[in-house]
Amino acid sequence: MRIKESIISGNELSASLEKESQYFSKTVVSIIRAGEQGSSLESNLQFLSDYLKKEHELDKKIKGALTYPAIIFSLTGIEMTAMIFFVLPLMDNLFSSFEDIPAFTVAVMDITGWIRSNIIYIIIGIIVFIVSLLRIKKTTWGKRKFDLIAIKFPVIKDLTKYRNMTSIARTLNMLLSNGIPLSEALKVTLETIDNVY
């Protein structure tokens, strides 16, 4: 509605979209502005549609690639919870009837017993930890640390690098193909990459 009102009041489409920067990236605005200036808005919008579709498909592939590890970690967590709260308490009674129990077994039983008796505090601690991480991530220092982890952590480093390289190549290709100068195209491309490194 605000975009419609802005266009009716005499502003260009690119200027109207730029005011809504939380919804439209600088890449989108730059392509539309180039189309307005070069009288090729229709073809630029078609090009932009194809670009956004490819970006969406790439995001879906990355999420799909991360689904399997997420399922494995979730199942492992469920199995550990079942062991701690249902299986090991039964074995605790069994082992208590033995006289000579190995030190490792005693340590495992003590640790799981401590977890069972302090589960409320552990859950609160996990929630506080996650909330703290999310707040830290919003700071400049935190963003840099998370970005560094994303390109160093064994499981996700390749996905992060390939995702960023693909995004840079596609964005530059689209901007240059639509007549945007290289210096301007590089500035816009830099702003579309999330990772500061």
Side-chain angles (χ1 to χ4, degrees), residues 25-28 30-31 51 55 163-177 180-196:
S25 68
K26 292 203 173 185
T27 306
V28 171
S30 296
I31 294 298
Y51 167 79
E55 284 288 299
R163 170 74 177 90
N164 286 333
M165 285 164 47
T166 304
S167 184
I168 288 168
R170 280 185 179 166
T171 306
L172 264 179
N173 173 53
M174 183 177 62
L175 294 169
L176 294 172
S177 298
I180 293 170
L182 180 59
S183 58
E184 181 65 25
L186 284 170
K187 285 178 188 174
V188 172
T189 302
L190 282 174
E191 289 166 3
T192 64
I193 304 302
D194 288 334
N195 195 300
V196 297

Side-chain angles (χ1 to χ4, degrees), residues 129-173:
F129 179 72
I130 291 170
V131 170
S132 300
L133 277 182
L134 293 174
R135 289 199 173 191
I136 289 169
K137 191 178 179 183
K138 290 180 180 178
T139 66
T140 306
W141 178 86
K143 170 96 170 74
R144 290 184 68 83
K145 292 299 176 190
F146 274 87
D147 286 352
L148 184 61
I149 290 168
I151 60 170
K152 297 285 185 184
F153 195 74
V155 179
I156 58 169
K157 68 178 182 180
D158 290 336
L159 277 175
T160 303
K161 287 178 183 176
Y162 292 141
R163 170 74 177 90
N164 286 333
M165 285 164 47
T166 304
S167 184
I168 288 168
R170 280 185 179 166
T171 306
L172 264 179
N173 173 53

Side-chain angles (χ1 to χ4, degrees), residues 6-163:
S6 177
I7 292 169
I8 290 171
S9 65
N11 293 315
E12 292 181 330
L13 176 60
S14 58
S16 303
L17 295 179
E18 197 167 20
K19 292 176 185 174
E20 306 293 330
S21 57
Q22 69 269 34
Y23 304 112
F24 300 98
S25 68
K26 292 203 173 185
T27 306
V28 171
V29 174
S30 296
I31 294 298
I32 291 173
R33 183 174 290 124
E36 289 170 340
Q37 292 170 355
S39 301
S40 58
L41 183 58
E42 184 181 349
S43 60
N44 282 28
L45 286 171
Q46 183 62 50
F47 197 88
L48 191 57
S49 170
D50 294 338
Y51 167 79
L52 293 174
K53 184 179 176 184
K54 286 176 183 174
E55 284 288 299
H56 178 67
E57 286 170 359
L58 181 62
D59 284 340
K60 278 174 60 178
K61 285 179 183 176
I62 290 171
K63 286 176 185 173
L66 292 173
T67 300
Y68 179 72
I71 291 171
I72 297 299
F73 282 122
S74 300
L75 289 175
T76 304
I78 292 168
E79 287 174 5
M80 286 180 65
T81 303
M83 286 292 291
I84 290 169
F85 289 97
F86 301 108
V87 178
L88 290 177
L90 298 174
M91 296 181 76
D92 198 10
N93 297 330
L94 175 68
F95 284 129
S96 62
S97 63
F98 297 141
E99 290 181 9
D100 206 13
I101 306 170
F104 179 75
T105 304
V106 172
V108 169
M109 301 310 273
D110 288 345
I111 290 167
T112 55
W114 181 86
I115 290 171
R116 284 194 299 274
S117 59
N118 293 289
I119 189 63
I120 300 296
Y121 301 111
I122 292 169
I123 290 171
I124 291 170
I126 290 170
I127 291 169
V128 168
F129 179 72
I130 291 170
V131 170
S132 300
L133 277 182
L134 293 174
R135 289 199 173 191
I136 289 169
K137 191 178 179 183
K138 290 180 180 178
T139 66
T140 306
W141 178 86
K143 170 96 170 74
R144 290 184 68 83
K145 292 299 176 190
F146 274 87
D147 286 352
L148 184 61
I149 290 168
I151 60 170
K152 297 285 185 184
F153 195 74
V155 179
I156 58 169
K157 68 178 182 180
D158 290 336
L159 277 175
T160 303
K161 287 178 183 176
Y162 292 141
R163 170 74 177 90

